[in-house]
Amino acid sequence: MDPDEPPSLYMFGNGHFDRNPTDGEEFHAAVPVPIDIGSMPVRGEFVSSRDADAASRGWDFVNTLWIHYVGGETT
């Protein structure tokens, strides 16, 4: 963990990544989600990515854990 950049939480609406595709590399792997969010269906995904600019500079990938809410309406 980088002490100068604390963990962040981002929320994206359905279809966000369909409307804003990456111009670089992305690798996805399913991971178990050991959390209980009431009875809401969730799934975990480990994503390692970098955009085209980062790849051209030889920069490393950014690793992120995505938690997807996969049911019903959000409030």
Side-chain angles (χ1 to χ4, degrees):
M1 181 184 293
D2 183 347
D4 297 322
E5 185 174 340
S8 300
L9 175 65
Y10 298 93
M11 295 183 74
F12 298 98
N14 288 336
H16 171 81
F17 294 105
D18 295 332
R19 292 186 304 271
N20 302 289
T22 183
D23 65 350
E25 304 166 274
E26 274 190 1
F27 302 95
H28 299 253
V31 295
V33 180
I35 58 175
D36 180 15
I37 305 177
S39 61
M40 296 188 302
V42 296
R43 67 180 174 89
E45 183 176 18
F46 174 80
V47 180
S48 187
S49 63
R50 65 180 174 178
D51 63 19
D53 181 54
S56 72
R57 297 171 188 263
W59 293 350
D60 288 333
F61 286 81
V62 174
N63 299 316
T64 309
L65 177 63
W66 290 0
I67 305 296
H68 300 269
Y69 170 68
V70 295
E73 296 291 319
T74 58
T75 56

